[in-house]
Amino acid sequence: MSAEVLRIHPDEPEAELVGYVSQCVERGQVVALPTDTFYGLAVDPVNLRAVEQIYELKSRAKHKPLSLLVGSTAQGYELARGLDSAFDRLAERFWPGPLTIIVKAGSKLPLRVTANTGNVAIRVPEAPIARAVVEHLGLPITATSANLAGHAECTHARCVREQLGDKIPLIVDGGPTARTVPTTIVDLSGGGNSWMILREGAIPTHEIALALQH
């Protein structure tokens, strides 16, 4: 199998092409597309066969949950439980954008997607193509980086093709990603407005702290 490469305008995604990508995801296929930071692998998170494909083709450790892209803060609420004001402050300040927030997963998500942790990592993407696909589907999609375990993350479609071109059916070429550093990850799963930076990336820690002080 050799991946189809589909060029989509990075700033004004063509509706019919977004529809085609969405259909591929709905059929259970793994699709690579640009996100805010790196190219990611998108599948329907409740399609466990598709989720399993990601773990297999990336050789990803089974204990690592997959991050999800959502279309809005409201959709984030649908996937989570026990949210508090810390979540609202961060979402209002940094979404859409390169902030991944870990929260307790709600009952809609299969435990497999959480890697049996009971937590889910979500963000509203700024990248137009990813947002358009999520909005067209009306459902979240996975967003784990489109690279093999131990290899560098990809900031352009050519890199994805070199690493995964014989393993997935579709690569969306939306040009280079806007950033070359990963998302910042904040863990709110402890509840009680407690928070912890698991990875400092595109958003500095001091900006997170400032947002949560007010």
Side-chain angles (χ1 to χ4, degrees), residues 10-164:
D11 302 316
E12 297 176 1
E14 298 87 347
E16 67 276 13
L17 299 182
V18 169
Y20 174 69
V21 173
S22 300
Q23 286 174 1
C24 291
V25 173
E26 287 176 325
R27 288 199 298 264
Q29 295 179 342
V30 181
V31 178
L33 46 71
T35 72
D36 300 311
T37 54
F38 303 120
Y39 272 71
L41 294 176
V43 300
D44 174 356
V46 299
N47 183 329
L48 293 184
R49 184 174 298 221
V51 169
E52 206 59 42
Q53 282 185 65
I54 286 185
Y55 280 95
E56 289 172 4
L57 68 89
K58 283 194 62 163
S59 302
R60 184 177 176 85
K62 299 288 186 182
H63 68 275
K64 289 187 175 182
L66 300 175
S67 60
L68 302 182
L69 299 182
V70 295
S72 63
T73 301
Q75 196 174 56
Y77 263 90
E78 293 174 9
L79 299 177
R81 60 184 172 87
L83 298 179
D84 50 39
S85 61
F87 176 83
D88 293 326
R89 289 176 190 172
L90 291 179
E92 184 177 346
R93 171 69 180 82
F94 298 110
W95 282 356
L99 176 67
T100 299
I101 305 177
I102 296 177
V103 293
K104 289 289 184 189
S107 58
K108 284 188 176 182
L109 284 175
L111 201 57
R112 182 72 194 89
V113 177
T114 76
N116 299 314
T117 63
N119 295 335
V120 61
I122 56 178
R123 78 176 189 270
V124 177
E126 201 171 25
I129 294 173
R131 284 196 80 181
V133 171
V134 170
E135 287 167 3
H136 188 277
L137 284 168
L139 301 165
I141 57 174
T142 62
T144 187
S145 57
N147 61 296
L148 296 171
H151 289 64
E153 293 93 347
C154 293
T155 57
H156 50 81
R158 185 177 69 253
C159 170
V160 181
R161 194 168 68 245
E162 289 168 355
Q163 290 192 40
L164 298 169

